[in-house]
Amino acid sequence: MPLPQPDDLTSLVLRTDFRDEGAWDSARAAVDAAGEYCFATYVSDLRFAHVGVHALIAEETAADEDDQIGEVFLADAITMNDPDHPLLAVDLSNESGRTFRVPARWFPDVSANLSIANIDFAEFADVADGSGTFRGFDEG
């Protein structure tokens, strides 16, 4: 079964941690509050509970080319428990499996640039700090 397709010009945010509904609501609210427009297509489906990067890559590789997406953002336990709600960005195409964290406040910048192919995944990942978190190009 292919990964869900995000809406036009948005990025797919998959919920993988289902322990706290309030934390999920807070994470979504933080992402939505970070930008003027909606940049996320949220999916809360128990089939993605605790899904790992390798499983997502396998699922994406098995999908028809027209159904493949370039990257996905995971709302995992770290996302739910950290006040900055850092999503785990996962490259599913060029460098499959490469990841970095993106706090909610930076999500609109990352999502918008990836969705229009203005900046590629590696450019964001390359400036992630020592903890593997993207905090903007000026602060990286």
Side-chain angles (χ1 to χ4, degrees):
M1 177 183 317
L3 291 173
Q5 292 293 312
D7 296 332
D8 285 345
L9 300 178
T10 68
S11 295
L12 183 62
V13 176
L14 287 181
R15 180 182 183 185
T16 65
D17 184 304
F18 289 83
R19 292 177 291 174
D20 184 344
E21 197 65 32
W24 171 237
D25 293 341
S26 293
R28 286 188 336 220
V31 168
D32 289 342
E36 186 176 341
Y37 304 101
C38 181
F39 292 94
T41 296
Y42 299 105
V43 174
S44 180
D45 183 333
L46 282 173
R47 81 178 178 105
F48 296 111
H50 307 292
V51 70
V53 171
H54 295 295
L56 291 171
I57 292 168
E59 192 161 332
E60 191 66 357
T61 301
D64 291 335
E65 188 174 329
D66 290 342
D67 292 329
Q68 293 181 350
I69 58 175
E71 65 280 326
V72 64
F73 295 83
L74 303 183
D76 59 6
I78 292 172
T79 306
M80 303 300 185
N81 293 309
D82 187 304
D84 291 332
H85 300 293
L87 298 164
L88 182 65
V90 180
D91 188 339
L92 296 174
S93 59
N94 295 329
E95 295 179 63
S96 288
R98 188 170 186 191
T99 65
F100 65 90
R101 291 262 169 206
V102 58
R105 75 174 286 233
W106 292 108
F107 180 79
D109 293 335
V110 174
S111 175
N113 281 292
L114 289 174
S115 69
I116 63 171
N118 185 48
I119 299 174
D120 66 25
F121 192 96
E123 290 177 84
F124 289 109
D126 287 347
V127 298
D129 65 17
S131 72
T133 304
F134 174 80
R135 298 184 194 281
F137 287 105
D138 294 334
E139 299 176 35

